[in-house]
Amino acid sequence: MTRFIALLFAMALVSGCAERGAFQYAAPSERATEHDVWVVNYRSNAPAPMGQRTPARPDAPRYEKHVVSVRPSHKTGEIEWTSTTPNAATDFVSLGISPVENINTFARDIAKAGVGRETTLFVHGYNMNHAESVYFTTQIKHDFDIQGPTVLFSWQSAGVGAGYIYDRDSTLYARNALEDVIRALSQDTDRELVIVTHSLGGFLVMETLRQMSHKGTFDMHDNIATLAMISPDIDGELFRAQAGDLSSFPKQTIIFASEQDKALRVSALLTGQKNRLGSVTDRSAISGFPISLIDASDLANGGLNHSVALTSPTAISIISKMVEQGDISPEADIPLFIDLGSLID
């Protein structure tokens, strides 16, 4: 118990630095790589009301196009922040943010943007502020060499370690807005939709897909090519209920799990359970569903090990190769069980 309390305390301290999570602006550098990130900003930009730690959640999202620059000497799996003067030659920096009028214009602009045959929608997890979520999405786009448009759904996390319950409530609040985004992006007939989630983002997406299934007007298999859930922070029994309510599944659904995920151990402790879905590598947790399970336990890279599949250079290399070879593909109809540790060269 003492160890878990220490972990919880450590998580609360993650956001303790004043410099955490601020957008960094600088002039472009010829040697840096620039990325467009399309953002659904479902966060309030108002101050918190008196006596409250967080502002009221917004009534509607805002739509934005961010241009983010990644430094030439970028290290795979990292976000290079600076506590001094931002410089595109040495740091992640923002080059500009452009508002987009509404969701229809947003979806049309995305359909005309970039190259590649997929649009990737990323839904971030717990304890992440807006700037962090934008730069994390950029890091993923850069490290996985995602060619098609990349979209971030940025929901209102408290951005503090002690805000877990607030964040969970925020995911429920965001379901309708996320549904609108999924429907809008799926209208692009020239590209397939890939949804990538992390942590509580997986809970938000599953609740949204369940809600859409109940309406009976959206076919998951026809409209979502891949759903990849990284370290999903979901109760296992609840997930089985959510999955059982889906009228159909995306063409491919993948869960990346790790028994070394310390953040999910704390989450489980808070809910009175032993495990969360993303910390269970036993296929019985997803038996009966067309879901692949990828075990990243052997690739633990220190810290909380809560985003290994997205931040470990080894994991990124292996997963990228699997995608290139077609092992992770909507055409791979048979659910997979893969131990990433066994694929290390």
Side-chain angles (χ1 to χ4, degrees), residues 37-39 63-67 95-101 106:
V37 179
W38 302 85
V39 178
Y63 304 95
E64 304 164 346
K65 178 187 176 184
H66 290 237
V67 181
L95 302 180
I97 303 174
S98 305
V100 181
E101 182 179 6
F106 186 72

Side-chain angles (χ1 to χ4, degrees), residues 19-41:
E19 296 294 333
R20 176 188 166 189
F23 282 111
Q24 306 178 148
Y25 294 94
S29 167
E30 291 184 358
R31 296 184 298 116
T33 303
E34 297 178 12
H35 295 286
D36 292 341
V37 179
W38 302 85
V39 178
V40 181
N41 183 349

Side-chain angles (χ1 to χ4, degrees), residues 41 81 83-84 98 198 318 321 330 336:
N41 183 349
W81 299 92
S83 58
T84 58
S98 305
H198 178 237
I318 293 173
K321 187 178 297 184
L336 307 169

Side-chain angles (χ1 to χ4, degrees), residues 178-197:
L178 179 57
E179 175 178 344
D180 291 342
V181 173
I182 292 173
R183 289 185 184 276
L185 295 179
S186 67
Q187 297 303 307
D188 184 356
T189 57
D190 293 329
R191 287 196 181 99
E192 294 185 310
L193 178 59
V194 173
I195 302 177
V196 179
T197 76

Side-chain angles (χ1 to χ4, degrees), residues 125-146:
Y126 151 73
N127 188 15
M128 185 164 284
N129 69 33
H130 188 47
E132 290 169 333
S133 68
V134 172
Y135 287 0
F136 192 21
T137 304
T138 305
Q139 177 249 307
I140 294 167
K141 179 177 178 65
H142 185 91
D143 288 345
F144 284 93
D145 192 25
I146 297 174

Side-chain angles (χ1 to χ4, degrees), residues 54-95:
T54 54
R57 298 180 179 95
D59 293 329
R62 301 184 300 279
Y63 304 95
E64 304 164 346
K65 178 187 176 184
H66 290 237
V67 181
V68 182
S69 175
V70 177
R71 74 178 193 176
S73 56
H74 166 67
K75 295 181 180 179
T76 300
E78 296 186 11
I79 298 172
E80 284 86 11
W81 299 92
T82 180
S83 58
T84 58
T85 304
N87 186 329
T90 56
D91 314 304
F92 268 62
V93 298
S94 295
L95 302 180

Side-chain angles (χ1 to χ4, degrees), residues 219-240:
D219 190 293
M220 309 299 165
H221 188 272
D222 289 346
N223 289 290
I224 303 174
T226 300
L227 170 60
M229 305 173 70
I230 315 298
S231 308
D233 188 356
I234 310 175
D235 176 89
E237 293 175 347
L238 175 58
F239 177 78
R240 293 191 66 84

Side-chain angles (χ1 to χ4, degrees), residues 16-314:
C17 299
E19 296 294 333
R20 176 188 166 189
F23 282 111
Q24 306 178 148
Y25 294 94
S29 167
E30 291 184 358
R31 296 184 298 116
T33 303
E34 297 178 12
H35 295 286
D36 292 341
V37 179
W38 302 85
V39 178
V40 181
N41 183 349
Y42 200 36
R43 296 175 183 251
S44 175
N45 57 4
M50 185 176 296
Q52 300 293 322
R53 295 183 178 179
T54 54
R57 298 180 179 95
D59 293 329
R62 301 184 300 279
Y63 304 95
E64 304 164 346
K65 178 187 176 184
H66 290 237
V67 181
V68 182
S69 175
V70 177
R71 74 178 193 176
S73 56
H74 166 67
K75 295 181 180 179
T76 300
E78 296 186 11
I79 298 172
E80 284 86 11
W81 299 92
T82 180
S83 58
T84 58
T85 304
N87 186 329
T90 56
D91 314 304
F92 268 62
V93 298
S94 295
L95 302 180
I97 303 174
S98 305
V100 181
E101 182 179 6
N102 54 49
I103 191 170
N104 294 325
T105 303
F106 186 72
R108 285 198 301 269
D109 288 351
I110 290 170
K112 294 183 292 186
V115 296
R117 59 185 182 87
E118 297 172 341
T119 295
T120 301
L121 172 62
F122 178 63
V123 183
H124 68 82
Y126 151 73
N127 188 15
M128 185 164 284
N129 69 33
H130 188 47
E132 290 169 333
S133 68
V134 172
Y135 287 0
F136 192 21
T137 304
T138 305
Q139 177 249 307
I140 294 167
K141 179 177 178 65
H142 185 91
D143 288 345
F144 284 93
D145 192 25
I146 297 174
Q147 297 296 306
T150 303
V151 183
L152 163 67
F153 185 84
S154 181
W155 52 271
Q156 188 160 310
S157 164
V160 295
Y164 183 81
I165 302 302
Y166 178 90
D167 280 15
R168 184 178 170 87
D169 288 346
S170 288
T171 62
L172 296 172
Y173 185 87
R175 289 173 295 185
N176 290 347
L178 179 57
E179 175 178 344
D180 291 342
V181 173
I182 292 173
R183 289 185 184 276
L185 295 179
S186 67
Q187 297 303 307
D188 184 356
T189 57
D190 293 329
R191 287 196 181 99
E192 294 185 310
L193 178 59
V194 173
I195 302 177
V196 179
T197 76
H198 178 237
S199 184
L200 269 180
F203 174 73
L204 168 54
V205 168
M206 285 301 298
E207 280 293 297
T208 302
L209 297 184
R210 176 178 175 272
Q211 171 176 295
M212 296 170 74
S213 286
H214 283 181
K215 294 179 180 178
T217 57
F218 188 87
D219 190 293
M220 309 299 165
H221 188 272
D222 289 346
N223 289 290
I224 303 174
T226 300
L227 170 60
M229 305 173 70
I230 315 298
S231 308
D233 188 356
I234 310 175
D235 176 89
E237 293 175 347
L238 175 58
F239 177 78
R240 293 191 66 84
Q242 291 170 323
D245 280 346
L246 298 187
S247 55
S248 62
F249 277 78
K251 292 176 185 175
Q252 184 179 56
T253 301
I254 307 170
I255 292 174
F256 290 81
S258 171
E259 295 177 351
Q260 306 303 318
D261 192 322
K262 298 182 179 68
L264 290 185
R265 291 182 195 170
V266 175
S267 176
L269 176 68
L270 293 173
T271 58
Q273 303 293 323
K274 291 184 178 180
N275 296 297
R276 304 296 276 175
L277 183 66
S279 59
V280 177
T281 57
D282 181 353
R283 275 185 290 184
S284 63
I286 54 173
S287 62
F289 297 115
I291 298 175
S292 297
L293 180 63
I294 297 183
D295 182 356
S297 299
D298 290 342
L299 276 67
N301 56 354
L304 296 176
N305 293 316
H306 190 42
S307 53
V308 169
L310 299 174
T311 59
S312 161
T314 302

